[in-house]
Amino acid sequence: MALFSSKPKEAAPSLPVHVGIIMDGNGRWAKKRGLPRKAGHVEGAKTFRTIVRYCSEVGIKYLTVYAFSTENWKRPSDEVSALMKLFKSYLEEAITDFRDDNIVIRFIGDKSGFSPELQKLMDDNEECARDRSGMVLNIAMNYGSRDEIVRAVKSISRDVKSGALGEDDINAELISSRLYTAGQPDPDLIIRPSGEYRISNFMLWQSAYTEFVIMNKLWPDFKKSDLDEALAIYAQRSRRYGGV
Ligand code: IPE
Ligand code: IPE
Ligand code: MG
């Protein structure tokens, strides 16, 4: 779709500032081809690279991709270990991968659930990209929004206990500032490929007024044109935030 296929000088008002993507459907993509589920994850990682770069090209300022949830550990151990291997090889090359695109890489989620080796790779990636000024890419790994909210509540409760905060200081802004996405705008648009109509513990607090676009495409099949389509659907929505 021509409207979104070239880099705008200034983001059009109808272009979302923050997009979230629930990268879903890798397993079904593989199953349809008689392949092991991990083959779907390998293919999904390719789509990830293409779509991240494309989001940056069209002028999205913040992109949050859901890569691994706090609930995904309950999958069969061979699938979890295949995913960890894939994350390792991906993070090794990611250090340079998005350099030319000036993309800032951040991880949201509980890093401590990963091996020390993976944690170091995540830290190194964040460190290398720290001075970049382009699109902010949040990669949600071992991310669960309920866990994120529980952490925020605990951190606020510690400050109330110590006297650093009073009960009257607790408001929506304070809670937002204790989430992994502190300082970032809430997502305007969340895209879920694979046709599932659910949020699966993704950005529960941040998505209070987010527009959802569900697409009947498995993530490994998701193309730039599908992102164009989601952006076009978003541009037609009327956001009222409870007003008229
Ligand atoms: C998303 O694809 C990748 C992860 C959750 C890690 P799935 O693996 O959930 O694929 P489906 O939903 O089973 O097809
Ligand atoms: C959500 O997908 C998590 C990621 C895409 C990383 P799931 O496949 O885990 O979600 P459910 O199980 O379909 O709700
Ligand atoms: Mg799934």
Side-chain angles (χ1 to χ4, degrees):
M1 197 169 295
L3 187 58
F4 297 106
S5 59
S6 63
K7 191 174 183 168
K9 286 199 179 61
E10 259 178 55
S14 54
L15 190 72
V17 173
H18 187 167
V19 174
I21 304 182
I22 301 176
M23 303 188 292
D24 195 25
N26 295 350
R28 279 164 282 172
W29 183 93
K31 194 175 173 200
K32 260 172 56 181
R33 287 162 180 76
L35 297 167
R37 289 178 58 87
K38 65 180 179 192
H41 297 312
V42 171
E43 211 53 35
K46 293 183 193 160
T47 303
F48 162 82
R49 286 183 183 85
T50 307
I51 297 300
V52 168
R53 209 159 262 135
Y54 188 54
C55 283
S56 154
E57 272 168 40
V58 300
I60 305 297
K61 302 284 181 226
Y62 296 86
L63 172 66
T64 302
V65 291
Y66 203 5
F68 193 83
S69 77
T70 44
E71 288 72 48
N72 287 148
W73 296 107
K74 61 169 94 131
R75 294 187 175 199
S77 61
D78 63 330
E79 180 170 349
V80 171
S81 52
L83 279 164
M84 294 305 131
K85 263 198 202 135
L86 196 64
F87 290 150
K88 178 177 177 295
S89 68
Y90 177 67
L91 292 177
E92 279 165 352
E93 62 183 70
I95 300 212
T96 50
D97 204 20
F98 293 130
R99 195 175 44 199
D100 294 343
D101 308 271
N102 202 21
I103 293 172
V104 180
I105 303 175
R106 297 192 61 246
F107 293 91
I108 63 171
D110 180 8
K111 280 184 191 160
S112 74
F114 295 106
S115 68
E117 186 183 31
L118 266 179
Q119 287 182 50
K120 177 160 188 331
L121 276 167
M122 291 161 109
D123 291 342
D124 291 350
N125 266 283
E126 288 182 324
E127 189 53 40
C128 283
R130 197 177 292 279
D131 295 328
R132 297 181 194 161
S133 56
M135 182 180 80
V136 173
L137 169 65
N138 297 312
I139 306 180
M141 301 224 320
N142 196 20
Y143 174 89
S145 201
R146 286 187 167 180
D147 177 59
E148 177 183 39
I149 292 167
V150 167
R151 281 162 191 275
V153 170
K154 282 185 178 165
S155 103
I156 292 169
S157 119
R158 276 193 299 269
D159 284 353
V160 170
K161 218 165 157 188
S162 75
L165 285 176
E167 193 185 320
D168 289 345
D169 296 320
I170 302 173
N171 55 32
E173 285 73 41
L174 180 76
I175 294 172
S176 294
S177 77
R178 302 287 170 115
L179 302 177
Y180 291 120
T181 49
Q184 301 186 6
D186 287 339
D188 302 290
L189 166 66
I190 288 180
I191 304 168
R192 183 159 190 162
S194 93
E196 304 291 2
Y197 285 73
R198 58 178 169 261
I199 194 160
S200 303
N201 205 7
F202 185 55
M203 301 186 102
L204 303 178
W205 174 271
Q206 299 91 330
S207 65
Y209 277 101
T210 299
E211 297 296 324
F212 279 87
V213 173
I214 309 287
M215 302 188 83
N216 262 321
K217 263 283 168 83
L218 302 171
W219 177 245
D221 290 328
F222 196 90
K223 301 280 179 290
K224 291 178 183 177
S225 56
D226 296 306
L227 188 89
D228 287 338
E229 189 184 328
L231 293 175
I233 294 169
Y234 171 82
Q236 300 304 315
R237 296 270 176 91
S238 157
R239 301 182 75 186
R240 288 186 289 280
Y241 302 95
V244 286

